[in-house]
Amino acid sequence: AVQAQISSGSSTPGISRAKMIGTQAQDWPTVHQSAEMQALRDYVTAADGYRYANQAASTLRLDVTHSNLIQRWHDLVFDSSMTVGRVKEKLYFHGGTPAEHQELYLRRGGGDTLFLWDEKKTLADYGVKNGMELHIKDTNPYSLSANGGLEDVSQVQKYVMADEEYDKLENSVRAVKRREKEKAAAERAARIAAGDVIEEEPSESIEEVSARIPVGSRCQVHPGGRRGEVAFVGSVRGAKGVWIGVGLDEPQGNNDGSKAGEHYFDCKGEKYGCFVQPDNVEVGDFPELDPFASDEEF
């Protein structure tokens, strides 16, 4: 029987050191019980208490957020003598909002927020300290950054080339593959004309593949160890051989069970489907993983 003993004789305050005997995952210490992880935490946070110690007395390092943007700026450098108006001019080069369309708010922590309404007052006048956050509110209803204008790439018009025009290019991937295919066909024809015996690689039939990878089986797809259920076994238009369609547990695929406009199987939605070759599918006891499972639960 597997035995586990927990002792509280750790040298790190508040951390119990686990002495485990056994080979199962539940017999090993959790992240919070690991002395190595605690040592790493101590190393990373060692300078937190004096991170501002070596800067000038008037220097301020602040985080900055924007009402229209997802991105944020960490540790931007200001001087405590800068007026609110001057701060707005500097922030224009980060968020793209002109000074006249900015409202600045100082978030001092604990839900305490102060409106910096007087542009002639300095940051020192408002009691700004290192580590606080400045929030920019863009008051321009026609701002370029509104509604994802500076971050949402789906709004950018893409250049789309007609298939016929792409076929005419001599340096495209399609052209290179076409030349390689023609070259291979010419070499094969020459070998046949010379009397060489060309052995065809044996291929499995759909029935043979279905027998060892049945539809409805739980499986794991390689590479990546993606789990799901076999939803399709058969031919796919435009591709040679037998293909396996898998409905994945998580959105780690590249389609919704469709290929080139033809629907082959149902799955949870976009990115939940994938087509793979039989050699990359492992059938077995692969239950759906719980993303909220804790490593402390047995």
Side-chain angles (χ1 to χ4, degrees), residues 52-62 76-83 87 90 122-125 127-131 134:
Y52 305 118
N54 296 322
Q55 64 186 37
S58 61
T59 298
L60 295 172
R61 308 184 79 91
L62 308 173
L76 291 189
V77 178
F78 301 87
D79 192 277
S80 60
S81 63
M82 293 176 67
T83 64
V87 171
K90 177 172 181 173
T122 66
L123 295 179
D125 292 334
V128 180
K129 304 296 183 183
N130 284 308
L134 284 177

Side-chain angles (χ1 to χ4, degrees), residues 204-217:
E204 287 184 291
S205 66
I206 295 178
E207 291 73 19
E208 291 173 328
V209 176
S210 297
R212 63 184 183 89
I213 308 179
V215 171
S217 303

Side-chain angles (χ1 to χ4, degrees), residues 133-198:
E133 177 184 310
L134 284 177
H135 179 71
I136 308 168
K137 180 180 178 182
D138 192 330
T139 61
N140 182 7
Y142 307 105
S143 175
L144 183 62
S145 63
N147 303 312
L150 294 180
E151 294 179 317
D152 185 2
V153 296
S154 67
Q155 298 182 26
V156 180
Q157 186 176 0
K158 312 300 190 299
Y159 173 72
V160 179
M161 179 182 289
D163 205 50
E164 296 76 12
E165 293 296 322
Y166 186 71
D167 270 336
K168 295 177 183 178
L169 297 178
E170 294 296 328
N171 61 344
S172 66
V173 174
R174 184 181 297 176
V176 172
K177 288 187 174 181
R178 184 168 57 239
R179 288 195 293 269
E180 291 177 348
K181 185 176 180 180
E182 292 172 352
K183 180 180 178 181
E187 291 176 350
R188 176 184 173 87
R191 290 180 60 189
I192 293 175
D196 290 350
V197 177
I198 308 297

